Amino acid sequence: MRIFSGIQPTGRKHLGNYLGAIRQYVDGQQRAGEQGGLAIFCIVDLHAITVAYDPAELRERTYDTAALLIAAGLDPERCVLFRQSDVPEQTELCWLLSSVTAHGDLNRMHQFKEKSEVQRELISAGLFFYPVLQAADVLAYRCDEVPVGEDQRQHIETMRDIAERFNARFADRGEILVTPEHRIPEVGARIMDLQDPDSKMSTTAASEEGTIYLLDEPETIKRKLNRAVTDSDDPPVIAFDPDKRGVSNLLDILAACKAISPDEAAAELAAARGYGDLKAAVSDAVIEMLTPVRERYEQLRGDETALEQILLRGAEQAREIAAVTLTEVRGAMGVGPVV
Ligand code: AQP
């Protein structure tokens, strides 16, 4: 069993990234270890350059993200952790896969539509091509499972189509690329902005007050949750209900932190006097979950040499795997000499 996922070194990572993705990575590392498999995690710096960005900041954010992932529980001795740009096999595979990618499929991507609307100066071709590079990231490692949040469902469907189309076109004998399954958590797959519970908590689109950053101090987390938008039901109703977006988001966060269902989280609050009690319970659970991550991050972040060594060693391991896939893909496509 092989697991792969990528995360962008953009902005400050938030609670949505943690509950939808990072926590699943740690779980994947554990499961892969128990089953004799491999878990591979990539900091996707080449994806980050598809929108406006600052080069110096990109490098800083890459180290931030590496330190954060390790602080959250990824162990470079038990998984492969690397930076996307250190593995040129992925970018070459991206181009090769473009030949079996439908332009119409890329045109239908929600993420492209949403992100291109907010670009002020340039809508890059890279932003349009993002799902093909993402497909190459995953397919290079022939992995079975991709842990992601709900917002990535459409991209995973596209990479499955790309893998199937490639195999149908080029694999005479069986399968060259593995068609992966997404792994989207049942709880916490789409955490919403605390100030605007109709929008997803996001690095670029969300409000500062509506976003809990993983490195926020406990007082800040408390304040943001205290001000979270709920509703004006009188008496207040603490229930997981699609018409109660703010309250449901808080219950989803609480449930994800405590590894229970949102209905169970609501049942635990049966004696609550109002939304204040719900917000206090969510604050306590989030602070308890994030404090050790923040403290460990602070110990790790200063040593960039150590982080760089971890990423380079991870890239060596990753290249060994990706090179084998690429040789087979090139061979099947008739690209380059016979090897
Ligand atoms: N709100 C969310 N709830 C649950 N999961 C989420 N993810 C993102 N937002 C939520 C998951 O986090 C992983 C990493 O995402 P990324 O590499 O795309 O990083 P990002 O672009 O910085 O994340 P955002 O917040 O989604 O930024 P915007 O909105 O600016 O693009 C992915 O598995 C994602 O599903």
Side-chain angles (χ1 to χ4, degrees):
M1 174 252 227
R2 196 173 277 173
I3 297 174
F4 177 97
S5 199
I7 185 162
Q8 295 195 71
T10 42
R12 290 170 288 167
K13 291 296 157 198
H14 53 74
L15 187 63
N17 298 136
Y18 187 77
L19 295 176
I22 298 173
R23 211 170 54 161
Q24 289 205 84
Y25 299 173
V26 180
D27 166 67
Q29 168 184 263
Q30 178 71 19
R31 282 186 301 114
E34 284 163 4
Q35 296 176 28
L38 184 63
I40 307 170
F41 302 104
C42 179
I43 299 174
V44 292
D45 54 346
L46 298 180
H47 280 286
I49 64 169
T50 58
V51 292
Y53 78 101
D54 173 53
E57 195 182 320
L58 177 62
R59 199 159 282 129
E60 289 297 309
R61 295 297 190 201
T62 300
Y63 292 132
D64 291 352
T65 309
L68 195 61
L69 292 175
I70 299 167
L74 289 191
D75 175 355
E77 298 298 324
R78 293 164 63 209
C79 72
V80 176
L81 174 62
F82 71 104
R83 173 174 44 211
Q84 187 183 30
S85 57
D86 291 336
V87 181
E89 286 78 2
Q90 282 171 225
T91 34
E92 181 176 346
L93 185 60
C94 170
W95 186 251
L96 296 174
L97 294 179
S98 72
S99 71
V100 287
T101 304
H103 177 273
D105 287 350
L106 299 184
N107 242 345
R108 279 190 286 278
M109 293 293 123
H110 307 306
Q111 184 173 296
F112 175 70
K113 285 181 193 157
E114 285 157 18
K115 291 207 166 177
S116 55
E117 269 167 24
V118 295
Q119 299 310 306
R120 296 218 175 92
E121 290 182 3
L122 173 79
I123 300 170
S124 75
L127 188 59
F128 184 72
F129 229 61
Y130 189 114
V132 194
L133 180 56
Q134 191 175 1
D137 295 340
V138 174
L139 300 180
Y141 299 97
R142 291 174 162 145
C143 69
D144 315 287
E145 216 180 80
V146 191
V148 283
E150 175 62 42
D151 61 341
Q152 292 300 318
R153 186 183 288 273
Q154 194 186 29
H155 283 174
I156 306 291
E157 279 309 313
T158 302
M159 79 177 60
R160 288 171 56 83
D161 290 346
I162 292 173
E164 282 166 10
R165 214 173 290 130
F166 180 90
N167 286 334
R169 170 77 179 83
F170 295 113
D172 298 335
R173 294 177 296 276
E175 186 181 69
I176 293 176
L177 298 177
V178 172
T179 308
E181 301 286 341
H182 59 65
R183 191 177 174 97
I184 297 174
E186 278 179 24
V187 182
R190 189 173 177 83
I191 301 298
M192 309 307 277
D193 186 314
L194 302 176
Q195 288 298 312
D196 173 14
D198 288 325
S199 306
K200 143 183 128 84
M201 194 177 279
S202 143
T203 307
T204 46
S207 62
E208 174 84 19
E209 274 304 292
T211 307
I212 295 178
Y213 297 105
L214 300 186
L215 302 177
D216 275 348
E217 296 286 337
E219 280 315 306
T220 310
I221 295 175
K222 237 180 240 170
R223 187 193 70 232
K224 288 178 177 176
L225 280 163
N226 242 328
R227 294 182 186 164
V229 168
T230 48
D231 53 50
S232 51
D233 282 359
D234 190 14
V237 180
I238 300 178
F240 194 69
D241 172 342
D243 293 331
K244 294 173 66 69
R245 308 281 290 168
V247 170
S248 294
N249 188 37
L250 292 175
L251 284 172
D252 196 33
I253 295 172
L254 182 58
C257 292
K258 299 181 93 174
I260 56 177
S261 73
D263 288 332
E264 284 168 335
E268 284 188 3
L269 285 158
R273 282 155 303 169
Y275 294 144
D277 287 354
L278 168 63
K279 291 173 177 180
V282 181
S283 276
D284 290 347
V286 171
I287 291 167
E288 192 183 320
M289 182 180 69
L290 293 186
T291 299
V293 177
R294 182 172 44 81
E295 289 174 352
R296 179 117 178 81
Y297 172 88
E298 279 157 11
Q299 291 163 3
L300 293 164
R301 177 60 184 86
D303 194 347
E304 290 187 358
T305 310
L307 294 171
E308 190 59 46
Q309 274 167 1
I310 288 170
L311 294 177
L312 289 178
R313 200 169 65 96
E316 279 171 26
Q317 296 169 292
R319 287 194 75 176
E320 265 182 42
I321 303 169
V324 175
T325 311
L326 198 70
T327 302
E328 272 190 56
V329 167
R330 287 173 66 116
M333 292 181 77
V335 170
V338 176
V339 284

PDB file of all heavy atoms in Angstrom, residues 137-167:
ATOM      1  N   ASP A 137       2.477  14.308 -10.100  1.00  0.00           N
ATOM      2  CA  ASP A 137       3.005  14.139  -8.736  1.00  0.00           C
ATOM      3  C   ASP A 137       2.597  12.770  -8.193  1.00  0.00           C
ATOM      4  O   ASP A 137       3.413  12.020  -7.655  1.00  0.00           O
ATOM      5  CB  ASP A 137       2.411  15.181  -7.773  1.00  0.00           C
ATOM      6  CG  ASP A 137       2.794  16.605  -8.104  1.00  0.00           C
ATOM      7  OD1 ASP A 137       3.791  16.814  -8.804  1.00  0.00           O
ATOM      8  OD2 ASP A 137       2.064  17.524  -7.646  1.00  0.00           O
ATOM      9  N   VAL A 138       1.323  12.480  -8.318  1.00  0.00           N
ATOM     10  CA  VAL A 138       0.776  11.262  -7.699  1.00  0.00           C
ATOM     11  C   VAL A 138       1.139  10.025  -8.522  1.00  0.00           C
ATOM     12  O   VAL A 138       1.607   9.016  -7.990  1.00  0.00           O
ATOM     13  CB  VAL A 138      -0.765  11.384  -7.568  1.00  0.00           C
ATOM     14  CG1 VAL A 138      -1.366  10.082  -7.067  1.00  0.00           C
ATOM     15  CG2 VAL A 138      -1.140  12.538  -6.631  1.00  0.00           C
ATOM     16  N   LEU A 139       0.958  10.125  -9.843  1.00  0.00           N
ATOM     17  CA  LEU A 139       1.113   8.935 -10.695  1.00  0.00           C
ATOM     18  C   LEU A 139       2.573   8.500 -10.786  1.00  0.00           C
ATOM     19  O   LEU A 139       2.862   7.319 -10.998  1.00  0.00           O
ATOM     20  CB  LEU A 139       0.517   9.203 -12.078  1.00  0.00           C
ATOM     21  CG  LEU A 139      -0.987   9.555 -12.069  1.00  0.00           C
ATOM     22  CD1 LEU A 139      -1.491   9.816 -13.487  1.00  0.00           C
ATOM     23  CD2 LEU A 139      -1.827   8.457 -11.415  1.00  0.00           C
ATOM     24  N   ALA A 140       3.508   9.431 -10.593  1.00  0.00           N
ATOM     25  CA  ALA A 140       4.940   9.073 -10.621  1.00  0.00           C
ATOM     26  C   ALA A 140       5.271   8.018  -9.574  1.00  0.00           C
ATOM     27  O   ALA A 140       6.241   7.271  -9.726  1.00  0.00           O
ATOM     28  CB  ALA A 140       5.791  10.323 -10.389  1.00  0.00           C
ATOM     29  N   TYR A 141       4.466   7.980  -8.508  1.00  0.00           N
ATOM     30  CA  TYR A 141       4.793   7.074  -7.383  1.00  0.00           C
ATOM     31  C   TYR A 141       3.899   5.838  -7.347  1.00  0.00           C
ATOM     32  O   TYR A 141       3.980   5.054  -6.414  1.00  0.00           O
ATOM     33  CB  TYR A 141       4.760   7.862  -6.058  1.00  0.00           C
ATOM     34  CG  TYR A 141       5.778   8.957  -6.123  1.00  0.00           C
ATOM     35  CD1 TYR A 141       5.420  10.250  -6.481  1.00  0.00           C
ATOM     36  CD2 TYR A 141       7.127   8.661  -5.960  1.00  0.00           C
ATOM     37  CE1 TYR A 141       6.371  11.238  -6.648  1.00  0.00           C
ATOM     38  CE2 TYR A 141       8.081   9.644  -6.123  1.00  0.00           C
ATOM     39  CZ  TYR A 141       7.702  10.923  -6.470  1.00  0.00           C
ATOM     40  OH  TYR A 141       8.657  11.883  -6.651  1.00  0.00           O
ATOM     41  N   ARG A 142       3.030   5.712  -8.363  1.00  0.00           N
ATOM     42  CA  ARG A 142       2.128   4.551  -8.452  1.00  0.00           C
ATOM     43  C   ARG A 142       1.483   4.263  -7.099  1.00  0.00           C
ATOM     44  O   ARG A 142       1.559   3.155  -6.560  1.00  0.00           O
ATOM     45  CB  ARG A 142       2.904   3.326  -8.913  1.00  0.00           C
ATOM     46  CG  ARG A 142       3.348   3.447 -10.363  1.00  0.00           C
ATOM     47  CD  ARG A 142       4.225   2.302 -10.727  1.00  0.00           C
ATOM     48  NE  ARG A 142       4.322   2.132 -12.152  1.00  0.00           N
ATOM     49  CZ  ARG A 142       5.434   1.729 -12.760  1.00  0.00           C
ATOM     50  NH1 ARG A 142       6.520   1.468 -12.074  1.00  0.00           N
ATOM     51  NH2 ARG A 142       5.453   1.574 -14.053  1.00  0.00           N
ATOM     52  N   CYS A 143       0.899   5.300  -6.541  1.00  0.00           N
ATOM     53  CA  CYS A 143       0.327   5.120  -5.209  1.00  0.00           C
ATOM     54  C   CYS A 143      -1.155   4.753  -5.310  1.00  0.00           C
ATOM     55  O   CYS A 143      -1.790   4.970  -6.341  1.00  0.00           O
ATOM     56  CB  CYS A 143       0.540   6.359  -4.356  1.00  0.00           C
ATOM     57  SG  CYS A 143      -0.399   7.700  -4.924  1.00  0.00           S
ATOM     58  N   ASP A 144      -1.645   4.172  -4.212  1.00  0.00           N
ATOM     59  CA  ASP A 144      -3.031   3.696  -4.187  1.00  0.00           C
ATOM     60  C   ASP A 144      -3.969   4.737  -3.590  1.00  0.00           C
ATOM     61  O   ASP A 144      -5.146   4.762  -3.878  1.00  0.00           O
ATOM     62  CB  ASP A 144      -3.145   2.427  -3.316  1.00  0.00           C
ATOM     63  CG  ASP A 144      -2.036   1.451  -3.618  1.00  0.00           C
ATOM     64  OD1 ASP A 144      -2.098   0.838  -4.678  1.00  0.00           O
ATOM     65  OD2 ASP A 144      -1.090   1.331  -2.799  1.00  0.00           O
ATOM     66  N   GLU A 145      -3.444   5.563  -2.740  1.00  0.00           N
ATOM     67  CA  GLU A 145      -4.309   6.407  -1.910  1.00  0.00           C
ATOM     68  C   GLU A 145      -3.769   7.832  -1.845  1.00  0.00           C
ATOM     69  O   GLU A 145      -2.567   8.029  -1.679  1.00  0.00           O
ATOM     70  CB  GLU A 145      -4.220   5.826  -0.495  1.00  0.00           C
ATOM     71  CG  GLU A 145      -5.464   5.881   0.285  1.00  0.00           C
ATOM     72  CD  GLU A 145      -5.224   5.279   1.662  1.00  0.00           C
ATOM     73  OE1 GLU A 145      -4.676   5.967   2.529  1.00  0.00           O
ATOM     74  OE2 GLU A 145      -5.591   4.110   1.866  1.00  0.00           O
ATOM     75  N   VAL A 146      -4.686   8.810  -1.933  1.00  0.00           N
ATOM     76  CA  VAL A 146      -4.284  10.217  -1.840  1.00  0.00           C
ATOM     77  C   VAL A 146      -5.122  10.910  -0.761  1.00  0.00           C
ATOM     78  O   VAL A 146      -6.293  11.209  -0.987  1.00  0.00           O
ATOM     79  CB  VAL A 146      -4.486  10.954  -3.190  1.00  0.00           C
ATOM     80  CG1 VAL A 146      -3.819  12.321  -3.152  1.00  0.00           C
ATOM     81  CG2 VAL A 146      -3.962  10.148  -4.358  1.00  0.00           C
ATOM     82  N   PRO A 147      -4.557  11.160   0.419  1.00  0.00           N
ATOM     83  CA  PRO A 147      -5.321  11.878   1.447  1.00  0.00           C
ATOM     84  C   PRO A 147      -5.422  13.362   1.119  1.00  0.00           C
ATOM     85  O   PRO A 147      -4.403  14.039   0.952  1.00  0.00           O
ATOM     86  CB  PRO A 147      -4.509  11.643   2.733  1.00  0.00           C
ATOM     87  CG  PRO A 147      -3.151  11.229   2.298  1.00  0.00           C
ATOM     88  CD  PRO A 147      -3.231  10.730   0.890  1.00  0.00           C
ATOM     89  N   VAL A 148      -6.636  13.862   1.024  1.00  0.00           N
ATOM     90  CA  VAL A 148      -6.875  15.287   0.698  1.00  0.00           C
ATOM     91  C   VAL A 148      -8.175  15.749   1.355  1.00  0.00           C
ATOM     92  O   VAL A 148      -8.984  14.926   1.795  1.00  0.00           O
ATOM     93  CB  VAL A 148      -7.051  15.514  -0.834  1.00  0.00           C
ATOM     94  CG1 VAL A 148      -5.736  15.479  -1.571  1.00  0.00           C
ATOM     95  CG2 VAL A 148      -8.050  14.536  -1.438  1.00  0.00           C
ATOM     96  N   GLY A 149      -8.389  17.064   1.355  1.00  0.00           N
ATOM     97  CA  GLY A 149      -9.666  17.625   1.783  1.00  0.00           C
ATOM     98  C   GLY A 149     -10.664  17.565   0.627  1.00  0.00           C
ATOM     99  O   GLY A 149     -10.307  17.270  -0.522  1.00  0.00           O
ATOM    100  N   GLU A 150     -11.915  17.881   0.944  1.00  0.00           N
ATOM    101  CA  GLU A 150     -13.021  17.789  -0.025  1.00  0.00           C
ATOM    102  C   GLU A 150     -12.764  18.628  -1.288  1.00  0.00           C
ATOM    103  O   GLU A 150     -13.137  18.228  -2.400  1.00  0.00           O
ATOM    104  CB  GLU A 150     -14.306  18.249   0.687  1.00  0.00           C
ATOM    105  CG  GLU A 150     -15.537  18.350  -0.143  1.00  0.00           C
ATOM    106  CD  GLU A 150     -15.980  17.016  -0.742  1.00  0.00           C
ATOM    107  OE1 GLU A 150     -15.938  16.000  -0.033  1.00  0.00           O
ATOM    108  OE2 GLU A 150     -16.360  17.017  -1.937  1.00  0.00           O
ATOM    109  N   ASP A 151     -12.083  19.782  -1.133  1.00  0.00           N
ATOM    110  CA  ASP A 151     -11.899  20.670  -2.284  1.00  0.00           C
ATOM    111  C   ASP A 151     -11.044  20.046  -3.391  1.00  0.00           C
ATOM    112  O   ASP A 151     -11.033  20.554  -4.513  1.00  0.00           O
ATOM    113  CB  ASP A 151     -11.294  22.018  -1.843  1.00  0.00           C
ATOM    114  CG  ASP A 151      -9.936  21.869  -1.191  1.00  0.00           C
ATOM    115  OD1 ASP A 151      -9.594  20.757  -0.745  1.00  0.00           O
ATOM    116  OD2 ASP A 151      -9.199  22.869  -1.121  1.00  0.00           O
ATOM    117  N   GLN A 152     -10.354  18.956  -3.086  1.00  0.00           N
ATOM    118  CA  GLN A 152      -9.491  18.336  -4.101  1.00  0.00           C
ATOM    119  C   GLN A 152     -10.162  17.168  -4.825  1.00  0.00           C
ATOM    120  O   GLN A 152      -9.541  16.514  -5.667  1.00  0.00           O
ATOM    121  CB  GLN A 152      -8.178  17.867  -3.462  1.00  0.00           C
ATOM    122  CG  GLN A 152      -7.296  19.002  -2.987  1.00  0.00           C
ATOM    123  CD  GLN A 152      -6.898  19.931  -4.131  1.00  0.00           C
ATOM    124  OE1 GLN A 152      -6.568  19.480  -5.219  1.00  0.00           O
ATOM    125  NE2 GLN A 152      -6.968  21.236  -3.900  1.00  0.00           N
ATOM    126  N   ARG A 153     -11.436  16.902  -4.503  1.00  0.00           N
ATOM    127  CA  ARG A 153     -12.125  15.743  -5.090  1.00  0.00           C
ATOM    128  C   ARG A 153     -12.077  15.781  -6.632  1.00  0.00           C
ATOM    129  O   ARG A 153     -11.766  14.789  -7.279  1.00  0.00           O
ATOM    130  CB  ARG A 153     -13.588  15.731  -4.611  1.00  0.00           C
ATOM    131  CG  ARG A 153     -14.366  14.503  -5.028  1.00  0.00           C
ATOM    132  CD  ARG A 153     -15.813  14.627  -4.575  1.00  0.00           C
ATOM    133  NE  ARG A 153     -15.990  14.480  -3.140  1.00  0.00           N
ATOM    134  CZ  ARG A 153     -16.160  13.315  -2.514  1.00  0.00           C
ATOM    135  NH1 ARG A 153     -16.198  12.207  -3.208  1.00  0.00           N
ATOM    136  NH2 ARG A 153     -16.317  13.261  -1.200  1.00  0.00           N
ATOM    137  N   GLN A 154     -12.368  16.939  -7.203  1.00  0.00           N
ATOM    138  CA  GLN A 154     -12.435  17.027  -8.668  1.00  0.00           C
ATOM    139  C   GLN A 154     -11.052  16.783  -9.302  1.00  0.00           C
ATOM    140  O   GLN A 154     -10.942  16.116 -10.331  1.00  0.00           O
ATOM    141  CB  GLN A 154     -12.969  18.411  -9.067  1.00  0.00           C
ATOM    142  CG  GLN A 154     -13.382  18.481 -10.508  1.00  0.00           C
ATOM    143  CD  GLN A 154     -13.762  19.894 -10.931  1.00  0.00           C
ATOM    144  OE1 GLN A 154     -13.252  20.876 -10.395  1.00  0.00           O
ATOM    145  NE2 GLN A 154     -14.664  19.991 -11.889  1.00  0.00           N
ATOM    146  N   HIS A 155      -9.999  17.310  -8.661  1.00  0.00           N
ATOM    147  CA  HIS A 155      -8.651  17.085  -9.204  1.00  0.00           C
ATOM    148  C   HIS A 155      -8.277  15.600  -9.166  1.00  0.00           C
ATOM    149  O   HIS A 155      -7.620  15.097 -10.084  1.00  0.00           O
ATOM    150  CB  HIS A 155      -7.615  17.892  -8.419  1.00  0.00           C
ATOM    151  CG  HIS A 155      -7.611  19.351  -8.767  1.00  0.00           C
ATOM    152  ND1 HIS A 155      -6.851  20.269  -8.100  1.00  0.00           N
ATOM    153  CD2 HIS A 155      -8.292  20.043  -9.719  1.00  0.00           C
ATOM    154  CE1 HIS A 155      -7.050  21.464  -8.624  1.00  0.00           C
ATOM    155  NE2 HIS A 155      -7.927  21.354  -9.600  1.00  0.00           N
ATOM    156  N   ILE A 156      -8.704  14.918  -8.126  1.00  0.00           N
ATOM    157  CA  ILE A 156      -8.355  13.482  -8.033  1.00  0.00           C
ATOM    158  C   ILE A 156      -9.119  12.706  -9.112  1.00  0.00           C
ATOM    159  O   ILE A 156      -8.572  11.795  -9.740  1.00  0.00           O
ATOM    160  CB  ILE A 156      -8.664  12.905  -6.628  1.00  0.00           C
ATOM    161  CG1 ILE A 156      -7.994  13.739  -5.531  1.00  0.00           C
ATOM    162  CG2 ILE A 156      -8.242  11.429  -6.532  1.00  0.00           C
ATOM    163  CD1 ILE A 156      -6.521  13.681  -5.439  1.00  0.00           C
ATOM    164  N   GLU A 157     -10.373  13.093  -9.349  1.00  0.00           N
ATOM    165  CA  GLU A 157     -11.128  12.447 -10.431  1.00  0.00           C
ATOM    166  C   GLU A 157     -10.400  12.619 -11.756  1.00  0.00           C
ATOM    167  O   GLU A 157     -10.300  11.698 -12.566  1.00  0.00           O
ATOM    168  CB  GLU A 157     -12.542  13.063 -10.543  1.00  0.00           C
ATOM    169  CG  GLU A 157     -13.533  12.523  -9.534  1.00  0.00           C
ATOM    170  CD  GLU A 157     -13.582  10.996  -9.516  1.00  0.00           C
ATOM    171  OE1 GLU A 157     -13.660  10.398 -10.599  1.00  0.00           O
ATOM    172  OE2 GLU A 157     -13.498  10.407  -8.420  1.00  0.00           O
ATOM    173  N   THR A 158      -9.885  13.828 -11.992  1.00  0.00           N
ATOM    174  CA  THR A 158      -9.177  14.100 -13.250  1.00  0.00           C
ATOM    175  C   THR A 158      -7.916  13.257 -13.363  1.00  0.00           C
ATOM    176  O   THR A 158      -7.613  12.697 -14.419  1.00  0.00           O
ATOM    177  CB  THR A 158      -8.837  15.603 -13.344  1.00  0.00           C
ATOM    178  OG1 THR A 158     -10.066  16.309 -13.253  1.00  0.00           O
ATOM    179  CG2 THR A 158      -8.140  15.961 -14.639  1.00  0.00           C
ATOM    180  N   MET A 159      -7.169  13.125 -12.263  1.00  0.00           N
ATOM    181  CA  MET A 159      -5.939  12.320 -12.368  1.00  0.00           C
ATOM    182  C   MET A 159      -6.270  10.844 -12.594  1.00  0.00           C
ATOM    183  O   MET A 159      -5.536  10.142 -13.276  1.00  0.00           O
ATOM    184  CB  MET A 159      -5.007  12.536 -11.176  1.00  0.00           C
ATOM    185  CG  MET A 159      -5.344  11.824  -9.919  1.00  0.00           C
ATOM    186  SD  MET A 159      -4.118  12.093  -8.625  1.00  0.00           S
ATOM    187  CE  MET A 159      -4.120  13.834  -8.369  1.00  0.00           C
ATOM    188  N   ARG A 160      -7.401  10.401 -12.062  1.00  0.00           N
ATOM    189  CA  ARG A 160      -7.827   9.014 -12.329  1.00  0.00           C
ATOM    190  C   ARG A 160      -8.128   8.844 -13.829  1.00  0.00           C
ATOM    191  O   ARG A 160      -7.726   7.857 -14.445  1.00  0.00           O
ATOM    192  CB  ARG A 160      -9.070   8.671 -11.492  1.00  0.00           C
ATOM    193  CG  ARG A 160      -8.775   8.504 -10.003  1.00  0.00           C
ATOM    194  CD  ARG A 160     -10.076   8.394  -9.196  1.00  0.00           C
ATOM    195  NE  ARG A 160     -10.926   7.320  -9.675  1.00  0.00           N
ATOM    196  CZ  ARG A 160     -10.807   6.038  -9.336  1.00  0.00           C
ATOM    197  NH1 ARG A 160      -9.871   5.685  -8.473  1.00  0.00           N
ATOM    198  NH2 ARG A 160     -11.630   5.137  -9.815  1.00  0.00           N
ATOM    199  N   ASP A 161      -8.821   9.839 -14.392  1.00  0.00           N
ATOM    200  CA  ASP A 161      -9.118   9.779 -15.835  1.00  0.00           C
ATOM    201  C   ASP A 161      -7.824   9.757 -16.646  1.00  0.00           C
ATOM    202  O   ASP A 161      -7.705   9.024 -17.631  1.00  0.00           O
ATOM    203  CB  ASP A 161      -9.939  11.011 -16.278  1.00  0.00           C
ATOM    204  CG  ASP A 161     -11.360  10.975 -15.733  1.00  0.00           C
ATOM    205  OD1 ASP A 161     -11.779   9.903 -15.268  1.00  0.00           O
ATOM    206  OD2 ASP A 161     -12.025  12.031 -15.753  1.00  0.00           O
ATOM    207  N   ILE A 162      -6.862  10.587 -16.232  1.00  0.00           N
ATOM    208  CA  ILE A 162      -5.587  10.658 -16.965  1.00  0.00           C
ATOM    209  C   ILE A 162      -4.887   9.293 -16.911  1.00  0.00           C
ATOM    210  O   ILE A 162      -4.405   8.785 -17.933  1.00  0.00           O
ATOM    211  CB  ILE A 162      -4.690  11.786 -16.389  1.00  0.00           C
ATOM    212  CG1 ILE A 162      -5.314  13.157 -16.696  1.00  0.00           C
ATOM    213  CG2 ILE A 162      -3.268  11.695 -16.929  1.00  0.00           C
ATOM    214  CD1 ILE A 162      -4.606  14.342 -16.041  1.00  0.00           C
ATOM    215  N   ALA A 163      -4.854   8.687 -15.725  1.00  0.00           N
ATOM    216  CA  ALA A 163      -4.187   7.375 -15.581  1.00  0.00           C
ATOM    217  C   ALA A 163      -4.885   6.335 -16.460  1.00  0.00           C
ATOM    218  O   ALA A 163      -4.229   5.558 -17.172  1.00  0.00           O
ATOM    219  CB  ALA A 163      -4.204   6.937 -14.116  1.00  0.00           C
ATOM    220  N   GLU A 164      -6.215   6.350 -16.423  1.00  0.00           N
ATOM    221  CA  GLU A 164      -6.954   5.342 -17.209  1.00  0.00           C
ATOM    222  C   GLU A 164      -6.753   5.560 -18.706  1.00  0.00           C
ATOM    223  O   GLU A 164      -6.568   4.604 -19.466  1.00  0.00           O
ATOM    224  CB  GLU A 164      -8.447   5.379 -16.839  1.00  0.00           C
ATOM    225  CG  GLU A 164      -8.686   4.657 -15.521  1.00  0.00           C
ATOM    226  CD  GLU A 164     -10.053   4.910 -14.908  1.00  0.00           C
ATOM    227  OE1 GLU A 164     -10.922   5.504 -15.585  1.00  0.00           O
ATOM    228  OE2 GLU A 164     -10.239   4.511 -13.736  1.00  0.00           O
ATOM    229  N   ARG A 165      -6.767   6.829 -19.109  1.00  0.00           N
ATOM    230  CA  ARG A 165      -6.574   7.109 -20.533  1.00  0.00           C
ATOM    231  C   ARG A 165      -5.160   6.725 -20.975  1.00  0.00           C
ATOM    232  O   ARG A 165      -4.954   6.178 -22.059  1.00  0.00           O
ATOM    233  CB  ARG A 165      -6.853   8.586 -20.816  1.00  0.00           C
ATOM    234  CG  ARG A 165      -7.482   8.783 -22.185  1.00  0.00           C
ATOM    235  CD  ARG A 165      -7.917  10.213 -22.432  1.00  0.00           C
ATOM    236  NE  ARG A 165      -9.054  10.606 -21.642  1.00  0.00           N
ATOM    237  CZ  ARG A 165      -9.117  11.712 -20.912  1.00  0.00           C
ATOM    238  NH1 ARG A 165      -8.101  12.530 -20.844  1.00  0.00           N
ATOM    239  NH2 ARG A 165     -10.192  12.011 -20.237  1.00  0.00           N
ATOM    240  N   PHE A 166      -4.179   6.978 -20.102  1.00  0.00           N
ATOM    241  CA  PHE A 166      -2.797   6.609 -20.442  1.00  0.00           C
ATOM    242  C   PHE A 166      -2.684   5.089 -20.600  1.00  0.00           C
ATOM    243  O   PHE A 166      -2.124   4.596 -21.597  1.00  0.00           O
ATOM    244  CB  PHE A 166      -1.823   7.087 -19.348  1.00  0.00           C
ATOM    245  CG  PHE A 166      -0.397   6.722 -19.657  1.00  0.00           C
ATOM    246  CD1 PHE A 166       0.415   7.590 -20.375  1.00  0.00           C
ATOM    247  CD2 PHE A 166       0.123   5.494 -19.281  1.00  0.00           C
ATOM    248  CE1 PHE A 166       1.715   7.231 -20.721  1.00  0.00           C
ATOM    249  CE2 PHE A 166       1.420   5.120 -19.611  1.00  0.00           C
ATOM    250  CZ  PHE A 166       2.221   5.995 -20.330  1.00  0.00           C
ATOM    251  N   ASN A 167      -3.221   4.352 -19.636  1.00  0.00           N
ATOM    252  CA  ASN A 167      -3.126   2.887 -19.705  1.00  0.00           C
ATOM    253  C   ASN A 167      -3.830   2.355 -20.948  1.00  0.00           C
ATOM    254  O   ASN A 167      -3.319   1.467 -21.633  1.00  0.00           O
ATOM    255  CB  ASN A 167      -3.716   2.250 -18.449  1.00  0.00           C
ATOM    256  CG  ASN A 167      -2.793   2.416 -17.238  1.00  0.00           C
ATOM    257  OD1 ASN A 167      -1.566   2.548 -17.392  1.00  0.00           O
ATOM    258  ND2 ASN A 167      -3.356   2.420 -16.042  1.00  0.00           N
TER     259      ASN A 167
END
